[in-house]
Amino acid sequence: MKVILAKTAGFCFGVQRAVDTVYEQIQKERRPIYTYGPIIHNEEVVRDLKEKGVTVLHELSELSEYEKGVMIIRSHGVSEAELRAIEEAGYEVVNATCPFVSKIHRAVQEHAAKGCHIVIIGNANHPEVEGIRGWCLDAPTDVIETTEEAEGFTSKEQKLCIVSQTTFRHTKFQELVEIIQKKGYDSIVLNTICNATEERQLEAEEIASGVDAMIVIGGKGSSNTQKLYEICRNHCPNAYYIQTKNDLGVELLKDFETIGITAGASTPKNIIEEVQNYVRNEF
Ligand code: F3S
């Protein structure tokens, strides 16, 4: 059996940086350590951090219930109001927001101040998008994810600033932007899709097109892994979405000759290696 492992599988730069930040804090910090939301969408990593004493807080209302300490902001980032509230509650903020996400925060803040209507192409419920929204509260803001939403979009402003959730699909972004641009607004389009995502998606597509089966590894709640899986499924009928090697049944892959493996941005290297070794040795 031939196994092809995607070079871009696993942690991107921003996630690696955020996870490293937490482990560095564990080494040097004597005060309690918290993360605002799970540091990544990976249960294994979050469990390991919990065992090392890191507590995950989910809401601002929880801030008063805990002993003050260090609050690490994950790579998705948070809104300006959340950042201030955490500091005002007496926590020291260690900001591990991915610099590419911080750049979007600055862009929407700047264009909102210039009177633009902010359009975020992405999923309104994703924490990254919620965070971005929180940096342009004074401006009209819309989150657009579907063709229907793009078609129905209208604005009282003449100027638009269109940005994207970093993990959004490139082709869909272009399609939605074209629909909005046809409406005749004066729009500034900032393609803020992260290269890490695009490269991972393109490589996954390329591998999935040439193999009998494709394995996509990642946490269930990870939107970028879900998208990666969709892409693979469109190019390979035997695509499997797994969290660890334990999700791979012994019977599952035995009839295939070539197997591709990729993983979402929040999948640790050791899990990818385990799956790779398992596939190479067991089938
Ligand atoms: Fe940052 Fe891109 Fe990763 S935006 S968190 S490097 S997917």
Side-chain angles (χ1 to χ4, degrees):
M1 179 190 284
K2 193 176 161 206
V3 179
I4 305 168
L5 173 66
K7 289 185 198 77
T8 51
F11 282 6
C12 60
F13 150 80
V15 168
Q16 185 70 59
R17 184 172 167 271
V19 173
D20 288 348
T21 303
V22 185
Y23 283 101
E24 275 161 29
Q25 291 295 321
I26 293 170
Q27 291 298 319
K28 69 173 192 196
E29 187 57 55
R30 292 286 149 258
R31 289 172 293 174
I33 301 171
Y34 305 93
T35 61
Y36 194 60
I39 196 76
I40 56 172
H41 283 301
N42 189 285
E43 288 166 20
E44 316 271 322
V45 176
V46 173
R47 199 175 309 127
D48 182 54
L49 291 173
K50 190 177 173 195
E51 280 163 16
K52 293 182 166 62
V54 178
T55 307
V56 180
L57 298 199
H58 297 93
E59 288 176 22
L60 294 177
S61 60
E62 292 173 279
L63 291 171
S64 57
E65 294 168 20
Y66 289 87
E67 191 188 334
K68 306 296 171 270
V70 170
M71 179 69 77
I72 303 166
I73 307 297
R74 56 190 179 171
S75 57
H76 291 326
V78 291
S79 68
E80 191 177 13
E82 282 170 310
L83 205 58
R84 301 284 159 263
I86 294 166
E87 282 170 343
E88 276 161 23
Y91 292 77
E92 184 191 328
V93 170
V94 173
N95 199 340
T97 304
C98 177
F100 300 137
V101 177
S102 302
K103 206 170 143 192
I104 307 176
H105 293 171
R106 286 195 300 273
V108 296
Q109 196 174 27
E110 203 178 289
H111 285 95
K114 286 182 191 158
C116 289
H117 185 136
I118 308 293
V119 178
I120 306 165
I121 305 288
N123 173 348
N125 299 317
H126 192 283
E128 181 193 315
V129 174
E130 288 172 350
I132 296 169
R133 265 198 122 142
W135 288 86
C136 48
L137 287 179
D138 295 338
T141 306
D142 272 280
V143 180
I144 289 180
E145 188 177 15
T146 63
T147 309
E148 296 71 45
E149 284 166 355
E151 279 163 355
F153 172 81
T154 56
S155 174
K156 289 197 186 89
E157 309 298 328
Q158 215 9 67
K159 285 192 294 185
L160 308 181
C161 168
I162 308 176
V163 298
S164 175
Q165 181 180 342
T166 56
T167 50
F168 206 75
R169 277 188 72 174
H170 202 73
T171 45
K172 190 76 187 172
F173 174 77
Q174 279 167 336
E175 180 202 319
L176 298 179
V177 166
E178 268 169 35
I179 296 172
I180 297 168
Q181 278 182 320
K182 280 195 190 125
K183 294 174 186 277
Y185 297 105
D186 173 8
S187 42
I188 299 158
V189 181
L190 304 172
N191 181 345
T192 49
I193 296 177
C194 172
N195 281 344
T197 312
E198 198 185 328
E199 281 164 16
R200 193 181 298 103
Q201 290 176 350
L202 287 172
E203 195 189 12
E205 185 177 321
E206 206 180 295
I207 296 176
S209 312
V211 292
D212 301 321
M214 189 75 193
I215 300 169
V216 184
I217 318 163
K220 279 202 193 100
S222 156
S223 78
N224 80 82
T225 313
Q226 274 159 18
K227 280 185 197 125
L228 209 52
Y229 171 67
E230 264 172 48
I231 292 170
C232 290
R233 204 183 43 191
N234 287 342
H235 291 86
C236 176
N238 307 304
Y240 302 101
Y241 190 157
I242 64 166
Q243 298 215 68
T244 67
K245 75 169 180 35
N246 301 334
D247 299 333
L248 274 179
V250 185
E251 289 297 300
L252 211 60
L253 303 172
K254 70 176 179 22
D255 295 332
F256 302 124
E257 277 173 17
T258 50
I259 295 185
I261 302 174
T262 188
S266 46
T267 308
K269 254 199 200 88
N270 63 317
I271 294 185
I272 301 171
E273 267 159 27
E274 257 176 41
V275 171
Q276 190 190 190
N277 292 338
Y278 181 70
V279 174
R280 284 190 197 279
N281 299 332
E282 295 287 324
F283 295 102

